[in-house]
Amino acid sequence: MIRVVLPTDFSEQAFHAISYAVKLLEDSTCIFYLVHAYTPAIYRVDYALGSPGQFGLADDEKYRAEEALEKTRKRMESLFNISKHTYITHAAFNSLGDEIESVSQKENIDFIVMGTQGATGAKEILFGSNTVHVIQKSSIPVLAVPYDFEYKPPNNILFPTDYEVDYNKANLDFLLKFSKLWHSKLHIMHVTTPDGLDLDQENHKVFLEGKMLEQNHKFYDLPDQELIEAINEFQKETPVEMLAMVKNKHTFLERLFVEPTIKNIGLHTKVPFLVLPYQQ
């Protein structure tokens, strides 16, 4: 049983990501949690005091969210009608990142699938603010799906690494199970620096090589260059259907957390982006 959180703001971008998740897990037994977090336009005093229902006040925001979630659930079931899939709807007055983290812990969620941007997403922005906040908060993997990506099974997954990561602290097992589920080939890409690898990096590389023994994989050592440039060039030579990275302070992902939306980051990926959590 795979448990997946599917956040939605009821935009077509969000629905596209939900559809991607369903297609991706078409042959797996799954529970999908359709989650919407809302904040009323005017923060009424009854929200500060507690649930409006306690005071006999109609929680209009919650009702609207629940109706929209139910509409989304019915739309999914009519489009796909997969007997192995169950949908649970969940609306809450909270920030999206906090609510998803709460649901993830309570329901033992395996991973989160969401769009890279919401309804107001701009093309030059890699991740919208909601996506960034969820990635920041999440202690489980997050798969961000570009709105213009037409579904393809992840036969090839690009995994850039600088070997700075202690893979015992990264959720590497998720990536390995994930790639086995779709018989994916893992392309492990490292950009060589003039100084070479230090002892810790050598140890991390040996550990990673050991973990890959039973995986379909290939290691690449590329000449010294900017990581983002290397990722872009690699994808020109070797088509991939997914990019996976570990969220730690050494990766360029750290730049995404300086402010809610970063423009012109220079990463020209048009494929789903899997972000693996890291226990610092």
Side-chain angles (χ1 to χ4, degrees), residues 29-226:
T29 302
C30 301
I31 298 178
F32 293 109
Y33 293 82
L34 295 167
V35 174
H36 177 74
Y38 59 90
T39 305
I42 299 174
Y43 192 99
R44 300 198 311 258
V45 66
D46 46 291
Y47 280 102
L49 294 171
S51 170
Q54 294 175 8
F55 304 96
L57 300 171
D59 189 348
D60 295 337
E61 292 283 347
K62 187 175 180 67
Y63 293 153
R64 277 197 290 269
E66 288 174 345
E67 285 180 3
L69 283 169
E70 184 63 16
K71 188 180 292 184
T72 301
R73 183 186 68 80
K74 288 179 178 178
R75 184 180 174 189
M76 293 305 299
E77 288 180 339
S78 65
L79 275 176
F80 297 102
N81 192 27
I82 300 172
S83 60
K84 292 181 177 181
H85 291 178
T86 302
Y87 296 93
I88 293 174
T89 59
H90 178 85
F93 171 53
N94 201 353
S95 70
L96 184 63
D98 285 342
E99 192 59 30
I100 288 177
E101 185 65 7
S102 173
V103 171
S104 298
Q105 296 301 322
K106 182 180 177 182
E107 304 295 345
N108 196 26
I109 299 297
D110 293 293
F111 69 116
I112 299 156
V113 181
M114 65 188 302
T116 51
Q117 289 120 13
T120 58
K123 288 183 178 179
E124 70 273 17
I125 298 172
L126 181 60
F127 291 155
S129 57
N130 275 339
T131 311
V132 170
H133 292 156
V134 170
I135 291 171
Q136 281 181 305
K137 280 278 184 185
S138 181
S139 58
I140 63 173
V142 179
L143 181 58
V145 183
Y147 182 55
D148 55 357
F149 181 78
E150 292 301 323
Y151 176 77
K152 297 174 187 174
N155 296 320
N156 295 278
I157 301 175
L158 176 58
F159 183 60
T161 179
D162 54 10
Y163 299 123
E164 294 277 1
V165 174
D166 179 351
Y167 294 105
N168 283 309
K169 296 180 180 180
N171 196 342
L172 192 63
D173 286 342
F174 177 83
L175 177 62
L176 301 182
K177 290 176 184 176
F178 188 96
S179 59
K180 281 186 175 180
L181 194 58
W182 289 278
H183 309 288
S184 309
K185 182 173 183 177
L186 283 172
H187 300 267
I188 301 141
M189 187 192 80
H190 172 251
V191 175
T192 305
T193 61
D195 296 333
L197 302 179
D198 62 26
L199 183 58
D200 283 340
Q201 288 173 304
E202 289 282 5
N203 290 335
H204 295 158
K205 182 180 180 181
V206 169
F207 180 85
L208 184 59
E209 288 171 340
K211 295 285 280 187
M212 292 294 161
L213 289 176
E214 296 182 6
Q215 299 285 144
N216 182 10
H217 72 280
K218 184 175 181 180
F219 281 87
Y220 302 81
D221 281 308
L222 303 184
D224 187 27
Q225 60 192 294
E226 284 289 328

Side-chain angles (χ1 to χ4, degrees), residues 15 65 165 177 230-231 271:
F15 190 81
V165 174
K177 290 176 184 176
I231 292 171
V271 300

